[in-house]
Short mmCIF file of all heavy atoms in Angstrom, two decimals:
data_model
loop_
_atom_site.label_atom_id
_atom_site.label_comp_id
_atom_site.label_asym_id
_atom_site.label_seq_id
_atom_site.Cartn_x
_atom_site.Cartn_y
_atom_site.Cartn_z
N LEU A 83 -8.53 -18.03 8.18
CA LEU A 83 -8.76 -18.50 9.54
C LEU A 83 -9.96 -17.91 10.25
O LEU A 83 -10.69 -18.65 10.91
CB LEU A 83 -7.51 -18.19 10.37
CG LEU A 83 -6.51 -19.31 10.41
CD1 LEU A 83 -5.34 -18.88 11.25
CD2 LEU A 83 -7.16 -20.55 11.00
N CYS A 158 1.81 -20.56 15.48
CA CYS A 158 0.95 -19.82 16.41
C CYS A 158 0.05 -20.81 17.13
O CYS A 158 -0.76 -21.48 16.49
CB CYS A 158 0.11 -18.77 15.70
SG CYS A 158 -1.09 -18.02 16.82
N PRO A 159 0.20 -20.94 18.44
CA PRO A 159 -0.64 -21.88 19.18
C PRO A 159 -2.12 -21.49 19.19
O PRO A 159 -2.97 -22.34 19.42
CB PRO A 159 -0.06 -21.85 20.60
CG PRO A 159 0.82 -20.67 20.68
CD PRO A 159 1.17 -20.24 19.29
N GLN A 160 -2.42 -20.25 18.92
CA GLN A 160 -3.82 -19.82 18.86
C GLN A 160 -4.43 -20.20 17.52
O GLN A 160 -5.54 -20.70 17.45
CB GLN A 160 -3.91 -18.29 19.00
CG GLN A 160 -3.76 -17.80 20.41
CD GLN A 160 -5.10 -17.77 21.11
OE1 GLN A 160 -5.52 -18.78 21.69
NE2 GLN A 160 -5.77 -16.65 21.05
N CYS A 161 -3.68 -19.93 16.43
CA CYS A 161 -4.17 -20.26 15.09
C CYS A 161 -4.05 -21.76 14.83
O CYS A 161 -4.67 -22.28 13.92
CB CYS A 161 -3.36 -19.54 14.02
SG CYS A 161 -3.44 -17.75 14.04
N CYS A 162 -3.24 -22.45 15.63
CA CYS A 162 -2.93 -23.86 15.39
C CYS A 162 -2.39 -24.08 13.99
O CYS A 162 -2.76 -25.03 13.30
CB CYS A 162 -4.15 -24.75 15.59
SG CYS A 162 -4.63 -24.84 17.30
N LEU A 165 2.96 -20.00 10.47
CA LEU A 165 2.88 -18.64 9.95
C LEU A 165 4.10 -18.36 9.07
O LEU A 165 5.18 -18.86 9.35
CB LEU A 165 2.87 -17.62 11.09
CG LEU A 165 1.78 -17.75 12.15
CD1 LEU A 165 2.00 -16.69 13.23
CD2 LEU A 165 0.41 -17.58 11.54
N CYS A 175 2.09 -13.31 16.81
CA CYS A 175 1.24 -13.62 15.66
C CYS A 175 0.61 -12.34 15.12
O CYS A 175 0.17 -11.49 15.89
CB CYS A 175 0.16 -14.60 16.09
SG CYS A 175 -1.08 -14.91 14.80
N TRP A 176 0.54 -12.22 13.79
CA TRP A 176 -0.04 -11.01 13.18
C TRP A 176 -1.53 -10.91 13.47
O TRP A 176 -2.09 -9.82 13.41
CB TRP A 176 0.21 -10.99 11.67
CG TRP A 176 -0.53 -12.03 10.90
CD1 TRP A 176 -0.49 -13.38 11.10
CD2 TRP A 176 -1.42 -11.83 9.81
NE1 TRP A 176 -1.28 -14.02 10.21
CE2 TRP A 176 -1.87 -13.09 9.39
CE3 TRP A 176 -1.87 -10.68 9.13
CZ2 TRP A 176 -2.76 -13.26 8.34
CZ3 TRP A 176 -2.76 -10.87 8.07
CH2 TRP A 176 -3.20 -12.14 7.70
N ARG A 177 -2.18 -12.02 13.80
CA ARG A 177 -3.60 -11.97 14.13
C ARG A 177 -3.84 -11.92 15.63
O ARG A 177 -4.87 -11.49 16.09
CB ARG A 177 -4.32 -13.20 13.59
CG ARG A 177 -4.53 -13.17 12.12
CD ARG A 177 -5.63 -14.14 11.74
NE ARG A 177 -5.79 -14.18 10.30
CZ ARG A 177 -6.43 -13.23 9.61
NH1 ARG A 177 -6.97 -12.22 10.22
NH2 ARG A 177 -6.53 -13.33 8.31
N HIS A 178 -2.86 -12.47 16.37
CA HIS A 178 -3.00 -12.53 17.82
C HIS A 178 -1.87 -11.73 18.47
O HIS A 178 -0.80 -12.27 18.71
CB HIS A 178 -2.98 -13.98 18.31
CG HIS A 178 -4.08 -14.79 17.72
ND1 HIS A 178 -3.87 -15.68 16.69
CD2 HIS A 178 -5.40 -14.82 18.00
CE1 HIS A 178 -5.03 -16.24 16.37
NE2 HIS A 178 -5.98 -15.74 17.14
N THR A 181 -0.11 -13.32 21.39
CA THR A 181 0.34 -14.70 21.35
C THR A 181 1.74 -14.78 20.77
O THR A 181 1.96 -14.43 19.61
CB THR A 181 -0.62 -15.57 20.51
OG1 THR A 181 -1.94 -15.39 21.03
CG2 THR A 181 -0.23 -17.02 20.58
ZN1 ZN B 901 -2.40 -16.59 15.68
#
Side-chain angles (χ1 to χ4, degrees):
L83 268 180
C158 173
Q160 282 272 87
C161 297
C162 291
L165 303 177
C175 173
W176 68 305
R177 285 200 184 282
H178 300 103
T181 306

